């Protein structure tokens, strides 16, 4: 290939391999070079399509004889990596380096299921097993290095230095090196915090550390355990290398702080920091298989992001004319998707058109929010506490989580989550009609005489109104729901409906006319597919222009979040 064609591109290739001390390169093959690669059963047959073929992202070596339980082998792999120009989280820009997905990873052996390994899919992360890492990095001596693991040793030789990092029980290792990094430090409980940021971003340091600490506290509350490692590094890439931003690795994440002029009320940078840190729980310590079940990482973590942000800041967007939290933002994305897919699909199975982003991030966020509302915060947190305590460092599968939902929340909760994840079932309650009118009084025919003022007032006091509210269940779940009528005098009438039989009509009398009828006023069912039909207003209200302005701004912000989500 011409040098001009490869300029800016990167690669990782195997250059040498020994098995128990003997040269084994002759036994090593890339999956694309093997006849009938499907026969090995290391990837799903439906992964292969017109656009995705067995490629050189999977390599294999066949042992001369089977390895029995309790036996071991020693593989020594030599490889060469060339970093690309910064793109999709890894690479270089001038003297800046961000090293993610930079070394060959071992597939995950899952007992009777065999080896779990997938072809490269741009929508998902790699699935890897936990291990002990010892990494020595040799860099120019004026470079600052941030990485996974703990610094164990540093030696200087001439114009270079070698830093050795070690850590147990992580499934990936990433690092960054640059001769212009500024370093700030802080502390959260037992964890030493490091922030690497570019010159000129000094005024953002406080905001970034505040967001990081909010993440530590929020996820500790959600998952029931403090972060177990004693060090954490947050990387704020320079704008010219922004492609490295918004990515997660064990003990190190990259944020995205585009400008020191970003108003305090726009907390998109904080949201990215919180989100990437949260992956250290769901992607890092639980380490579910995002190739096959993205909702178990991106979906749970997106809920965790909204939970932690709401807990600390309350709002992601905080202006007098517009206040939105993470659940509002997820709700907007949730409402825009009208396609055929559902969240419980493998990464390569989603149809085009924004399905992956909305179904893997936004919809699970709203489903978990609904579950929290249905069960109450205490029982809901018990689900996540039990899940994390039972399956950390064990690669849980969907049935592991669903089993805990059933164990803690009961059959109805488990059925709700299962159907939301694996079907197109929906919740949709609607107020289809609301009326309020004076009740006529029939007093017979009398000779006309003027009515004294005292009687007029007395008559006015006795005026009664007949009100009706018709509600429908247009969804697939028969859950109980609250219906509330607001009267002109400010009082309210509340009714309960079991959600059965398709529809129900409530009738009642009142001394004041009804102005608003609403079903599920507290938005217990946050995943109701259409909030537009949840209420009927009988009297016109002002403020339409401001509402339209707020809606327009919120839609623009949602577009920004959707674009950002592709990188987080």
């Amino acid at each position: 290939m011409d040098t001009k064609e490869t300029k800016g591109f990167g690669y990782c290739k195997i250059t040498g391999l020994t098995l128990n001390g003997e040269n084994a390169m002759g036994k090593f093959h890339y999956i694309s070079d093997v006849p009938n690669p499907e026969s090995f059963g290391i990837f799903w047959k439906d992964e292969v399509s017109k656009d995705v073929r067995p490629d050189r992202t999977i390599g294999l070596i066949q042992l001369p004889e089977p390895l029995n339980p309790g036996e071991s082998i020693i593989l020594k792999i030599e490889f060469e990596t060339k970093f690309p120009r910064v793109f999709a989280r890894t690479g270089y820009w001038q003297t800046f380096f961000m090293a993610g997905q930079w070394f060959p990873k071992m597939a995950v052996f899952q007992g009777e299921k065999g080896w779990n390994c997938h072809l490269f899919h741009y929508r998902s992360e790699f699935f890897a097993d936990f291990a002990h890492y010892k990494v020595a990095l040799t860099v120019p001596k004026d470079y600052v290095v941030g990485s996974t693991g703990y610094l164990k040793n540093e030696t200087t030789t001439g114009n270079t230095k070698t830093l050795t990092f070690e850590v147990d029980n992580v499934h990936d290792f990433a690092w960054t090196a640059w001769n212009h990094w500024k370093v700030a430090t802080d502390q959260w409980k037992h964890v030493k915090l490091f922030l690497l940021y570019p010159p000129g971003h000094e005024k953002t340091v406080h905001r970034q550390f505040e967001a990081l600490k909010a993440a530590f506290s929020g996820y500790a509350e959600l998952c029931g355990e403090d972060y177990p490692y004693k060090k954490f590094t947050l990387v704020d890439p320079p704008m010219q290398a922004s492609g490295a931003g918004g990515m997660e690795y064990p003990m190190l994440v990259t944020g995205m702080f585009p400008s020191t002029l970003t108003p305090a009320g726009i907390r998109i940078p904080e949201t990215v920091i919180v989100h990437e840190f949260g992956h250290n729980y769901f992607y890092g310590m639980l380490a579910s298989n995002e190739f096959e079940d993205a909702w178990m990482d991106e979906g749970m973590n997106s809920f965790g992001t909204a939970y932690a942000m709401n807990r600390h800041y309350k709002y992601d967007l905080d202006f007098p004319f517009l206040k939105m939290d993470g659940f509002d933002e997820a709700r907007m994305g949730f409402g825009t998707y009208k396609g055929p897919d559902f969240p419980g699909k493998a990464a390569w199975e989603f149809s085009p058109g924004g399905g992956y982003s909305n179904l893997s991030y936004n919809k699970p966020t709203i489903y978990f929010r609904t579950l929290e509302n249905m069960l109450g915060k205490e029982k809901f947190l018990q689900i996540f506490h039990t899940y994390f305590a039972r399956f950390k460092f064990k690669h849980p599968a969907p049935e592991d989580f669903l089993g805990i939902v059933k164990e803690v929340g009961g059959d109805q909760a488990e059925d709700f989550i299962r159907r939301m994840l694996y079907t197109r079932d929906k919740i949709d309650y609607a107020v289809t009609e609301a009326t309020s009118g004076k009740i006529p009084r029939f007093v017979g025919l009398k000779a006309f005489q003027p009515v004294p003022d005292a009687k007029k007032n007395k008559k006015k006091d006795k005026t009664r109104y007949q009100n009706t509210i018709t509600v429908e269940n247009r969804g697939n779940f028969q859950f109980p729901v609250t219906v509330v009528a607001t009267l002109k005098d400010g009082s309210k009438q509340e009714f309960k409906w079991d959600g059965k039989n398709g529809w129900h009509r409530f009738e009642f009398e009142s001394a004041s006319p009804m102005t608003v009828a609403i079903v599920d006023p507290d938005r217990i069912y946050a995943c109701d597919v259409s909030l537009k039909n949840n209420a009927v207003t009988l009297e016109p209200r002002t403020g339409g222009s401001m509402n339209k302005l707020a809606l327009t701004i919120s839609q623009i912000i949602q577009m920004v979040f959707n674009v950002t989500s592709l990188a987080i």
Side-chain angles (χ1 to χ4, degrees):
M1 185 176 288
D2 189 89
T3 305
K4 292 182 179 179
E5 294 182 39
T6 59
K7 186 177 181 180
F9 286 79
Y11 57 79
C12 178
K13 63 182 179 181
I14 306 298
T15 58
L17 191 149
T18 62
L19 172 62
N20 293 329
E22 297 183 4
N23 188 346
M25 275 299 287
K27 298 182 176 68
F28 173 80
H29 301 283
Y30 289 107
I31 197 73
S32 57
D33 302 331
V34 176
N36 191 23
E38 290 87 350
S39 63
F40 289 96
I42 59 176
F43 58 85
W44 294 14
K45 290 184 178 180
D46 65 0
E47 288 187 65
V48 178
S49 66
K50 180 180 178 181
D51 300 318
V52 179
R53 307 295 302 171
D55 55 28
R56 297 170 73 85
T57 60
I58 295 178
L60 55 88
I61 178 172
Q62 290 182 279
L63 303 181
E65 56 187 32
L67 191 66
N68 296 316
E71 296 181 340
S72 63
I73 60 171
I74 297 176
L75 278 176
K76 182 178 179 181
I77 303 172
E78 296 178 5
F79 65 96
E80 177 185 299
T81 294
K82 177 183 180 293
F83 290 110
R85 296 281 178 88
V86 170
F87 174 76
R89 301 139 184 168
T90 193
Y92 75 92
W93 166 73
Q94 294 184 356
T95 58
F96 164 88
F97 291 88
M98 181 65 226
Q101 317 299 354
W102 59 283
F103 62 93
K105 292 186 179 180
M106 296 295 292
V108 179
F109 185 69
Q110 296 187 302
E112 294 180 356
K113 296 180 181 178
W115 292 99
N116 190 304
C117 191
H118 289 281
L119 303 172
F120 180 76
H121 298 282
Y122 77 95
R123 282 175 171 163
S124 187
E125 314 301 344
F126 293 99
F127 183 47
D129 215 346
F130 297 98
H132 173 86
Y133 280 81
K134 183 177 181 180
V135 177
L137 300 172
T138 300
V139 299
K141 67 179 182 180
D142 61 337
Y143 270 53
V144 173
V145 175
S147 81
T148 300
Y150 305 101
L151 179 62
K152 295 296 184 178
N153 188 46
E154 180 176 342
T155 59
T156 301
T157 304
N159 292 323
T160 66
K161 60 183 177 182
T162 299
L163 301 93
T164 302
F165 298 89
E166 273 189 84
V167 64
D168 280 315
N169 232 14
V170 297
H171 62 74
D172 201 355
F173 192 102
W175 55 273
T176 182
W178 193 27
N179 57 338
H180 295 295
W181 278 131
K182 299 291 183 180
V183 182
T185 61
D186 209 324
Q187 191 83 19
W188 182 86
K189 293 187 176 181
H190 61 285
V191 186
K192 183 70 175 289
L193 306 179
F194 292 86
L195 171 63
L196 305 185
Y197 63 94
H201 275 209
E202 287 78 7
K203 291 183 179 179
T204 71
V205 169
H206 173 75
R207 283 182 65 173
Q208 296 197 60
F209 272 135
E210 182 182 2
L212 189 56
K213 292 178 186 178
F216 272 90
S217 299
Y219 279 87
E221 180 176 289
L222 176 63
C223 295
E225 295 187 27
D226 286 348
Y227 189 69
Y229 306 100
K230 296 179 180 179
K231 170 198 167 189
F232 193 85
T233 301
L234 170 61
V235 179
D236 175 19
M239 276 304 297
Q240 297 87 340
S242 59
M247 187 56 188
E248 70 277 5
Y249 306 97
M251 302 176 67
L252 179 147
V253 301
T254 61
M256 197 179 293
F257 215 107
S259 171
T260 58
L261 301 178
T262 304
I266 296 179
R267 299 192 178 108
I268 296 177
E270 285 86 347
T271 301
V272 173
I273 291 169
V274 171
H275 184 89
E276 301 312 334
F277 169 81
H279 277 300
N280 270 259
Y281 276 80
F282 297 104
Y283 146 87
M285 289 179 276
L286 287 164
S288 51
N289 192 333
E290 189 181 338
F291 273 115
E292 299 168 14
D293 305 291
W295 67 269
M296 296 188 73
D297 177 24
E298 294 296 358
M300 288 186 178
N301 189 45
S302 293
F303 174 85
T305 303
Y307 182 93
M309 288 292 293
N310 185 262
R311 178 184 182 275
H312 182 78
Y313 297 102
K314 191 172 183 180
Y315 298 113
D316 293 8
L317 297 173
D318 194 355
F319 296 100
F321 59 89
L322 177 62
K323 295 182 183 296
M324 293 178 65
D325 64 18
F327 299 112
D328 294 327
E329 292 148 15
R331 166 76 211 183
M332 291 180 65
F334 165 89
T336 62
Y337 182 74
K338 308 296 183 184
D341 290 333
F342 45 82
K345 286 190 170 186
W348 59 88
E349 294 179 320
F350 288 93
S351 60
Y356 177 81
S357 177
N358 263 319
L359 293 169
S360 298
Y361 292 75
N362 295 322
K363 286 210 168 189
T365 298
I366 297 303
Y367 298 154
F368 293 134
R369 182 62 161 177
T370 301
L371 185 65
E372 179 186 13
N373 293 340
M374 291 168 63
L375 297 179
K377 185 173 182 177
E378 183 177 351
K379 184 166 285 190
F380 176 80
L381 287 180
Q382 186 183 347
I383 289 173
F384 274 83
H385 291 182
T386 305
Y387 175 57
F388 187 77
R390 195 174 295 174
F391 291 106
K392 60 184 176 182
F393 306 115
K394 293 182 180 178
H395 301 302
E399 291 304 319
D400 296 320
F401 178 75
L402 291 168
I404 290 176
V405 173
K406 183 175 183 177
E407 175 186 326
V408 177
D411 291 341
Q412 186 183 73
E414 189 267 347
D415 178 67
F416 165 71
I417 291 295
R418 183 180 296 277
R419 288 165 64 184
M420 283 299 191
L421 292 172
Y422 295 105
T423 75
R424 297 181 64 195
D425 288 352
K426 64 182 182 180
I427 291 178
D428 186 12
Y429 288 106
V431 176
T432 57
E433 184 181 25
T435 63
S436 183
K438 292 180 180 180
I439 300 175
R441 296 190 303 151
F442 298 97
V443 295
L445 296 174
K446 294 184 179 179
F448 175 80
Q449 290 183 356
V451 179
D453 290 340
K455 286 190 174 183
K456 282 182 179 180
N457 294 334
K458 188 175 180 181
K459 184 177 180 180
K460 185 177 181 180
D461 291 341
K462 291 183 178 179
T463 300
R464 301 287 293 174
Y465 294 85
Q466 179 67 34
N467 309 285
T468 65
I469 304 173
T470 303
V471 290
E472 285 185 6
N473 183 352
R474 298 175 176 176
N476 309 99
F477 294 86
Q478 294 183 337
F479 290 156
V481 69
T482 300
V483 180
V484 171
T486 301
L487 308 183
K488 191 172 184 179
D489 62 7
S491 62
K492 297 180 184 293
Q493 291 273 357
E494 184 175 300
F495 308 92
K496 300 290 184 181
W497 179 38
D498 61 13
K500 297 178 180 179
N501 301 318
W503 70 280
H504 189 81
R505 178 177 292 122
F506 297 95
E507 298 181 353
F508 66 99
E509 293 184 12
S510 61
S512 179
M514 179 173 62
T515 56
V516 177
I518 183 168
V519 61
D520 191 23
D522 298 323
R523 294 193 182 180
I524 299 298
Y525 304 114
C527 61
D528 189 312
V529 295
S530 176
L531 297 181
K532 293 179 181 179
N533 60 25
N534 280 36
V536 169
T537 301
L538 281 71
E539 288 190 349
R541 292 187 171 187
T542 58
S545 298
M546 185 58 72
N547 289 339
K548 289 180 180 179
L549 174 62
L551 179 60
T552 299
I553 294 174
S554 65
Q555 288 173 336
I556 294 173
I557 295 296
Q558 178 61 35
M559 180 181 69
V560 173
F561 273 100
N562 281 342
V563 171
T564 303
S565 72
L566 296 177
I568 62 177

